[in-house]
Amino acid sequence: MADNFLEKHYEEYEARKAAYLRKKRHLPKTKHHLPERPEDDAL
């Protein structure tokens, strides 16, 4: 196996993780809304 195999893969992992976190910060936060229920005329 090549020297520094684990170190190289760890560096690639860190780069992917940093890119994911950068992208995640710029995404708008979604609000979960429940659909409003119409009033029940039967009552």
Side-chain angles (χ1 to χ4, degrees):
M1 225 184 258
D3 291 342
N4 300 324
F5 176 80
L6 294 177
E7 289 83 0
K8 181 179 178 187
H9 281 273
Y10 186 72
E11 290 171 4
E12 291 172 358
Y13 159 76
E14 288 292 325
R16 286 193 315 269
K17 181 180 173 183
Y20 164 76
L21 292 175
R22 272 194 309 274
K23 182 179 176 185
K24 181 181 175 186
R25 267 190 266 146
H26 295 293
L27 292 177
K29 292 186 179 182
T30 58
K31 295 182 181 179
H32 300 284
H33 294 288
L34 294 176
E36 292 187 25
R37 293 176 153 177
E39 291 219 12
D40 192 7
D41 293 334
L43 294 176

